[in-house]
Amino acid sequence: MSRPRLLSMIGAGGRRVILGSLGLLVLIIVLLPRHTQEWLELIGRPVAQIVAVPVRVLASLDRGIRESWNHYIALQGVYEQNLALRQEVERLRGEISRLREQIIVSEQLADLLRYQANAPLETTAARIIGRDPTNWYRAIILDKGETHGLKRDMGVIAPAGVVGRVVKTTPTTATVLLLTDPNMAVTAMIQRTRDAGIVQGTTDGGVRMKYLPPLSSIHVDDLVVTSGLTDDFPRGLPIGRIVHVEHPQAALFQSADLLPAVDFSKLEGVLVITTLDSGTDTDFSVSSPSSSSLPSESTP
Amino acid sequence: MKIVAYLGLVLLLVPLQMTIARLVNGALHPDLCLVAVCLIGFWGGWGRGFSLGLCLGFVQDLFSAGGLGINLLTKALAGLLSGYAATTLSTLTPAAIFFPTLALSMFVSVMALISASPQLDGRLLLHSAHTAILPRGLMDGALAFILNWIKLKMEPLAPPDMSKHA
């Protein structure tokens, strides 16, 4: 039976019923609790795998054009020198943070240093191939997914510090909610005073540390690191530096605005923490030599 | 044939949207999927707008940090409403398409904002209205305006097909 004949048999009324039913189905899907929507994600997996192909093609096209521009049209030497210096600065910053953390830990928790050599942290390097398609979440899309061992709630880091957390995975891609999104929160502490709090993104794209003790002697330029209380990040990863402290008179807690350690606008690749033994209480810093290196532009 | 074209649109637009978002580093950019859904709704009727909205919204939700559903619902609604809006317009001039697209974009943005913001209050809504919702609506409206203008230039003598709006 030909398609026009089939459509004419259904008729305008029939088509309205079909579309009405579809609309009702959409409403039911939206009203369902999130955990019952998992079957929808199952349906979407093959679709996501197909859509991931043009995403990769576009990402490599974009990368190719930018590489050509940067290497052949713009000043080649200056660009490469600048890139090398930036990488060196990032590495040294991470190194300073790691050393400070080690000094504090050796004074306060000397026995934990025995575990430092065996820091149980495995990472997978991934390249950023896109950003959230909706404009309403600060999120990035990675070129690796479930087939590479990535799972929901895994922590994501860069050499400079914390990037975010995996919130959605498909077989070949993963969506990472950035630290600057209001829906993202990480348990943290001030490195110098050891006061704990929660770091959360703000609606204007900043990062804020909340629930700090009212008598804490925090001040501008203090480094904030992860406290390791949750299973996604080990203790001691840099999050950012305090740029403004707020302590209203009647408030129960202090809060502080942070300058994130990671420059999210220049991120090209990240490390996903795939294995973190939460039973081992060990301080760890991202830039330790044992962690995986970032992927280069040519090798994912 | 049209189904293949629509599938191609789905496969192209969502990756393009993600790449554009990356190029502009998350700064404000038009919602290509919404503009496509609106235009298909205007040109092809509410059935096609609704169906394409369902597909594009579903794929967007697969890669978005939010839960499944909000894009599915809003894009499908946008397709449906643009199709109905087309039945009330005597001619689909670029200007006549600009304002409904602007309104639909703002509606979709407000819905997405409600879904994405854990602590939405009047102040945040007002702030978002003039920093994100309205500018993005204007971008979407302008893009729809330009694409419709190009379509009219390409087929200036095509008679209007009123049956598709029935």
Side-chain angles (χ1 to χ4, degrees):
Chain A
M1 190 179 292
S2 65
R3 196 170 155 271
R5 198 171 162 197
L6 187 72
L7 284 176
S8 65
M9 276 180 70
I10 294 170
R15 269 178 276 164
R16 284 200 177 100
V17 169
I18 291 168
L19 284 172
S21 310
L22 272 172
L24 196 65
L25 182 72
V26 171
L27 266 178
I28 291 167
I29 288 165
V30 171
L31 294 175
L32 276 173
R34 188 165 286 191
H35 66 272
T36 55
Q37 293 182 357
E38 280 173 4
W39 63 272
L40 261 178
E41 285 185 25
L42 285 175
I43 298 169
R45 272 167 209 275
V47 181
Q49 272 184 290
I50 295 166
V51 177
V53 176
V55 174
R56 282 163 196 274
V57 171
L58 282 171
S60 57
L61 264 176
D62 162 44
R63 198 165 47 245
I65 292 167
R66 273 192 295 157
E67 275 179 3
S68 303
W69 175 267
N70 289 328
H71 285 91
Y72 301 110
I73 301 169
L75 295 170
Q76 184 181 353
V78 174
Y79 169 76
E80 282 174 351
Q81 193 183 20
N82 193 20
L83 198 68
L85 286 171
R86 275 173 194 272
Q87 282 173 347
E88 184 66 8
V89 168
E90 292 269 293
R91 193 187 65 78
L92 290 172
R93 274 186 187 159
E95 187 72 15
I96 290 167
S97 164
R98 186 178 70 87
L99 291 171
R100 275 191 187 155
E101 190 65 18
Q102 278 184 346
I103 291 165
I104 291 167
V105 169
S106 62
E107 286 172 353
Q108 295 183 353
L109 306 161
D111 57 331
L112 291 179
L113 279 176
R114 282 175 294 172
Y115 296 104
Q116 184 134 33
N118 307 315
L121 185 62
E122 281 179 26
T123 57
T124 298
R127 195 195 297 277
I128 298 165
I129 54 169
R131 287 200 177 240
D132 191 284
T134 64
N135 222 359
W136 294 105
Y137 292 93
R138 292 186 189 96
I140 50 175
I141 318 292
L142 305 183
D143 68 343
K144 287 188 179 162
E146 287 159 3
T147 50
H148 306 93
L150 270 59
K151 288 177 192 157
R152 195 180 287 187
D153 293 331
M154 282 179 169
V156 181
I157 55 178
V162 174
V163 171
R165 187 181 287 130
V166 176
V167 290
K168 204 176 267 181
T169 53
T170 71
T172 50
T173 62
T175 306
V176 176
L177 198 62
L178 296 177
L179 189 65
T180 49
D181 190 280
N183 296 287
M184 172 75 184
V186 179
T187 55
M189 63 180 175
I190 311 284
Q191 194 183 47
R192 185 178 56 81
T193 64
R194 318 306 280 177
D195 290 313
I198 289 175
V199 168
Q200 197 172 11
T202 61
T203 49
D204 57 356
V207 181
R208 195 169 178 77
M209 189 169 186
K210 297 174 175 176
Y211 311 117
L212 283 162
L215 298 175
S216 172
S217 62
I218 54 169
H219 53 68
V220 170
D221 215 33
D222 272 344
L223 182 66
V224 177
V225 295
T226 52
S227 62
L229 292 176
T230 49
D231 289 341
D232 42 8
F233 296 105
R235 189 196 304 186
L237 296 178
I239 294 176
R241 282 191 181 277
I242 292 177
V243 289
H244 174 71
V245 181
E246 197 175 298
H247 187 198
Q249 287 292 326
L252 290 172
F253 299 101
Q254 294 188 77
S255 53
D257 293 325
L258 308 185
L259 178 70
V262 175
D263 185 351
F264 294 100
S265 65
K266 292 185 174 67
L267 270 181
E268 290 284 333
V270 291
L271 300 171
V272 182
I273 302 170
T274 49
T275 308
L276 176 68
D277 187 356
S278 57
T280 311
D281 190 12
T282 306
D283 256 304
F284 189 83
S285 190
V286 184
S287 57
S288 88
S290 62
S291 64
S292 310
S293 59
L294 273 176
S296 66
E297 281 291 317
S298 55
T299 54
Chain B
M1 193 61 198
K2 277 187 177 170
I3 288 174
V4 177
Y6 289 156
L7 279 175
L9 258 184
V10 174
L11 288 179
L12 178 73
L13 280 180
V14 179
L16 197 62
Q17 183 84 35
M18 286 195 273
T19 310
I20 287 175
R22 183 165 174 258
L23 283 174
V24 298
N25 261 326
L28 218 56
H29 55 278
D31 188 344
L32 301 181
C33 299
L34 178 83
V35 173
V37 166
C38 288
L39 286 177
I40 296 299
F42 286 127
W43 295 338
W46 57 269
R48 284 177 192 168
F50 179 80
S51 309
L52 186 72
L54 271 182
C55 295
L56 277 173
F58 179 63
V59 178
Q60 266 195 311
D61 275 337
L62 285 175
F63 291 96
S64 168
L68 277 171
I70 191 69
N71 281 298
L72 187 78
L73 178 70
T74 53
K75 296 291 188 303
L77 261 175
L80 194 72
L81 292 174
S82 58
Y84 272 118
T87 60
T88 64
L89 298 168
S90 55
T91 49
L92 290 173
T93 61
I97 275 184
F98 174 81
F99 289 105
T101 309
L102 169 69
L104 284 169
S105 171
M106 290 176 71
F107 161 73
V108 168
S109 293
V110 169
M111 294 289 283
L113 184 68
I114 291 168
S115 161
S117 303
Q119 294 160 332
L120 184 68
D121 54 15
R123 194 177 56 86
L124 175 61
L125 193 62
L126 199 66
H127 173 74
S128 303
H130 70 83
T131 57
I133 296 171
L134 185 60
R136 191 172 188 180
L138 290 169
M139 281 184 195
D140 292 345
L143 189 60
F145 179 100
I146 292 165
L147 290 174
N148 196 55
W149 180 80
I150 291 169
K151 182 181 177 273
L152 289 177
K153 286 285 168 193
M154 283 171 73
E155 42 186 50
L157 298 174
D161 181 9
M162 296 308 290
S163 64
K164 66 189 173 187
H165 299 311

